[in-house]
Amino acid sequence: MNAPRPLPRILLALCALALIITAWWQVLSLEDGILERQVIRDGVPVTLVLPAKRSGPIPGVVVAHGFAGSGRLMQTWALALADAGMAVALPDLSGHGANRKPLDWWNDPDQFRRDVQSALTELAQQPEVDTGRLALLGHSLGAGAVIAAAREAQPPVQAVVAVSPGPAEVNATHPPNLLLMAGALEGPFRAAAESLLQEAGGEGGRMERGTARDLFIVPGSEHIGVLFSARSHDASVDWLTRVFGLDPPAGAPPSPLLWWVLHLGAVVVLWRALAPLVADPDRRRIDADEATRQGRNQRPLVRAAIASAAATLGLLGIGLGIHLDGIGGIVVGPQFALWLALAGGVWMLLGTRPPLPQWRDLVWGLALLAALVLAFGALGALLWIPWWPPLHRLPYLPVLALLILPWAVALATALQGRGGWRGLGTGLGIALITLVGMGLAAAVVEGMQFLFIVLPLLPAMLALPLLLSRPVQRPWADGIALAGFLGWTLAAMFPLV
């Protein structure tokens, strides 16, 4: 195996480093025009985002996230509203993000409405905010929360924007000045928005009377993509500037999420350029040859399919005897991790066993995990993902990661020695098999239905670790990094009960 040439790789790494620095500089420069405050009101953590330049009191908008989201998930939407001259309050709803109150909507369906009201109260008390011009915006679960909160909101609100809503109580006057929104690709939520429009009296009405109604279908967007679409942001800005009597912004700046995407790609390039300079190509060749001789990486798609089917049946059987919804104090995440644990165990029993671990595997695994944290979460924490779990969420991280580890190590073992298009094809095949198997589990296991919404993100979540692991190809190291990455994401994302 030819040794990598250092000079071209170092030059490529320097270019990638320049892009990383540029992305950070661009995102951090957003703070020049924005004031951000962190407060807690009635136990609800609220991030306040206000434009730094303003003349007189400005309108305010509470922006509520959906299930398994957080206030940080709505940050790019908040920046679009702040750029248009509005103050924004981003609450972490009960059980989500940094909110320590458990999710209990089964016994207390009113808790999210109260969370929105708490954020509205805090927003109205900011000296920069005009309490006569307030609005609510919510996505998915948050859409239902803001519609409910608008009925008795104090101070009263002048408009509601409901994005990807479910069933809710609306009529010709409630909520005031209602804009409904849904992605063209999100099926049931689009149908729900269309139904709500008819229940609210259809398109039309007058803004000065609070009876305006409209529906905007966001082209090419599904349930997650609708959050970051410039068309979604523009539609809400246009609606609210008309309600509040503001001048429309001259032109929306490019989404700051583009800098995160650029940063993500640059970190991958940086790692792929430098890792081969310190990895041992001869060891990779020897390990791959040994894996082939012993059959550890043989028939990866067949083994993955059998393991996937067994995991779905196993989880269904466990669910018949144990109530899995909310097991361990967290929603959905444990079932996801347990499915991977079952699939990984079966996959290894079928012969996809890694070599004995070495201390270098731990070192490489931690280095890979650090690269994943830098690529995906470090800058993302400023824009859209609550990547740094608060202290009360940290105990879940090692447990979830350990459950995922067998599957992650089996996956890395199956790909050992497979490079180029062969490795890409195998990785895509396993991702598809996993997607189907977990989708079947979501259909039959109680409490896992939410996975239907986030499953399309799984191939992308797998692609990043696999891209970074290619230069190393140490099954234990790659598995440690992938398990840590997925466990970290689950611990930070899913609500606590």
Side-chain angles (χ1 to χ4, degrees), residues 450-492:
F450 178 75
L451 281 180
F452 282 122
I453 294 175
V454 298
L455 272 181
L457 299 177
L458 184 62
M461 294 291 292
L462 292 179
L464 177 60
L466 294 180
L467 280 172
L468 293 179
S469 68
R470 289 294 78 201
V472 181
Q473 289 202 27
R474 302 180 72 102
W476 280 103
D478 299 346
I480 289 170
L482 177 56
F485 176 64
L486 292 178
W488 193 319
T489 305
L490 295 177

Side-chain angles (χ1 to χ4, degrees), residues 390-400:
L391 290 178
H392 68 285
R393 286 181 171 268
L394 286 180
Y396 295 97
L397 198 161
V399 176
L400 293 169

Side-chain angles (χ1 to χ4, degrees), residues 190-285:
R190 176 175 177 171
E194 292 169 343
S195 176
L196 287 177
L197 178 66
Q198 297 308 311
E199 293 175 28
E203 292 184 7
R206 299 176 63 176
M207 282 189 172
E208 66 273 16
R209 294 183 178 178
T211 58
R213 271 91 177 89
D214 203 356
L215 169 66
F216 179 68
I217 302 300
V218 186
S221 293
E222 32 62 53
H223 197 65
I224 304 300
V226 73
L227 290 174
F228 306 106
S229 168
R231 295 195 176 188
S232 302
H233 300 168
D234 291 346
S236 65
V237 167
D238 176 70
W239 185 260
L240 294 175
T241 52
R242 286 193 287 141
V243 169
F244 294 142
L246 297 176
D247 294 328
S255 171
L257 210 63
L258 295 176
W259 291 112
W260 175 79
V261 174
L262 177 64
H263 171 270
L264 182 69
V267 174
V268 172
V269 172
L270 178 66
W271 176 268
R272 294 291 295 263
L274 295 182
L277 298 179
V278 290
D280 185 351
D282 290 331
R283 186 209 56 79
R284 278 183 55 190
R285 177 180 54 79

